[in-house]
Amino acid sequence: MSTIAVTGSASGIGAAVCLRLEAAGHTLIRVDRVNADIEADLSTPEGRQLAVTQTLKLCNNKLDAVVCCAGVGVTAPSSGLIASVNYFGVTEYIDGLQDTLAQSGTGNAVIIGSVAASSQVANPHAIAAAMLENDEAKACQIAEACQAPHIVYAASKYAATVYGRRTAVSWGKQGMRLNIIAPGAVETPLHQASMDDPRFGEAVKNFVAPLGRAGLPDEIAAGVEFLVSDQARFINGTVLFIDGGMDAMIRADQF
Ligand code: NAD
């Protein structure tokens, strides 16, 4: 059985991932702002450093996998926060743990991205470019000026996906893997908040996947359980859409 760190463990997809992995017998290290083994704010460099240091302490320098679920949506208090949590809260946490993951022999990571990453607004966008240059101040500045949280959200998920695929290439040489799950709409507090928002509610409600419903958190967690397992040992750098067919609907002729 493995030791696995999960961010965003207190709610929604992260909570479902923890339930599933714990039921399978894995040892978990839960990271969130509150109600977690490690209470850390992944929107700040200090919080990310605290999360890394405490994770290394709790796992006793033996870590098999990292699952990054923590994220904020379009109703976040500021667009800079979307950039900081959804991109830098992922990359700095994974980067800080990669040496320890490498020692596992089968170390791997899963990033929860989004089907929004493949939308037209995400790529190529100046916010995503600043993120990929690792320039948080610039990314946040452009994000705040952009005044369109849905564009910032899509760009953050696009950049996190590109980071994941680039990292998968370099990790592969050490036998390590990194994969991305791109959920469509999933019934969580984040999704409910966007449906309740007067700016985005109608668009979110009308954006329905071919399967005709939103997903359940455990349907995303099932994908995570598979990707961190030995059954997925030859899967690296992939983007697994768990979206009821939404990506196929958006861009049926591209893949
Ligand atoms: P959620 O709001 O239920 O859970 C998100 C968790 O992240 C919360 O526990 C929250 O406390 C934590 N978090 C947020 N900011 C943090 C910070 N600064 N530091 C530490 N933890 C922080 O949302 P969810 O829907 O379960 O989202 C999980 C992931 O799935 C997110 O990355 C989200 O972008 C992605 N996603 C969700 C949907 C959806 O429809 N729900 C669709 C696509 C992608």
Side-chain angles (χ1 to χ4, degrees), residues 11-13 32-33 40-42 69 112-113 153 157 184 186 188-190:
S11 177
I13 292 170
D32 208 305
R33 284 176 299 196
D41 180 356
L42 295 170
C69 304
I112 304 298
Y153 181 81
K157 293 297 184 177
V186 182
T188 69
L190 181 153

Side-chain angles (χ1 to χ4, degrees), residues 15-76:
V17 166
C18 289
L19 274 178
R20 211 171 229 278
L21 294 179
E22 197 161 59
H26 300 296
T27 301
L28 296 187
I29 297 170
R30 295 174 169 81
V31 183
D32 208 305
R33 284 176 299 196
V34 289
N35 299 326
D37 302 314
I38 300 169
E39 295 184 350
D41 180 356
L42 295 170
S43 72
T44 68
E46 299 76 25
R48 294 166 207 146
Q49 190 53 52
L50 176 74
V52 168
T53 308
Q54 290 295 312
T55 301
L56 292 173
K57 196 170 157 194
L58 286 188
C59 78
N60 211 10
N61 289 314
K62 292 194 179 100
L63 188 65
D64 300 294
V66 172
V67 184
C68 289
C69 304
V72 292
V74 290
T75 64

Side-chain angles (χ1 to χ4, degrees), residues 115-116 118-120 207 243 245-254:
V115 70
S118 56
S119 71
Q120 291 290 335
F207 197 47
D243 66 350
M246 204 173 258
D247 180 61
M249 182 176 79
I250 296 168
R251 42 172 208 152
D253 300 330
Q254 299 166 17

Side-chain angles (χ1 to χ4, degrees), residues 64-220:
D64 300 294
V66 172
V67 184
C68 289
C69 304
V72 292
V74 290
T75 64
S78 77
S79 286
L81 191 67
I82 300 175
S84 288
V85 178
N86 293 6
Y87 184 77
F88 296 97
V90 170
T91 60
E92 286 185 19
Y93 188 62
I94 291 177
D95 289 348
L97 296 170
Q98 66 178 346
D99 289 348
T100 304
L101 282 171
Q103 290 164 25
S104 149
T106 55
N108 71 86
V110 175
I111 295 171
I112 304 298
S114 172
V115 70
S118 56
S119 71
Q120 291 290 335
V121 295
N123 171 31
H125 196 284
I127 301 170
M131 289 171 178
L132 291 165
E133 287 163 13
N134 211 25
D135 191 336
E136 185 169 6
K138 187 175 171 186
C140 290
Q141 188 190 22
I142 304 170
E144 293 295 352
C146 156
Q147 296 197 335
H150 64 293
I151 292 179
V152 179
Y153 181 81
S156 73
K157 293 297 184 177
Y158 171 82
T161 302
V162 171
Y163 159 86
R165 283 170 61 78
R166 287 178 180 173
T167 304
V169 175
S170 60
W171 277 16
K173 294 162 194 143
Q174 302 172 71
M176 297 163 70
R177 303 182 294 112
L178 196 158
N179 292 295
I180 301 100
I181 289 181
V186 182
E187 290 180 15
T188 69
L190 181 153
H191 181 60
Q192 188 61 49
S194 59
M195 286 203 296
D196 293 344
D197 189 294
R199 296 166 298 169
F200 305 107
E202 277 311 301
V204 173
K205 283 176 207 155
N206 293 332
F207 197 47
V208 181
L211 284 182
R213 66 172 175 88
L216 301 173
D218 186 59
E219 291 170 330
I220 311 304

Side-chain angles (χ1 to χ4, degrees), residues 2 4 21 26 64-67 106 108-110 177 223-232:
S2 301
I4 303 173
L21 294 179
H26 300 296
D64 300 294
V66 172
V67 184
T106 55
N108 71 86
V110 175
R177 303 182 294 112
V224 171
E225 184 180 16
F226 169 66
L227 286 174
V228 299
S229 79
D230 190 54
Q231 291 179 71

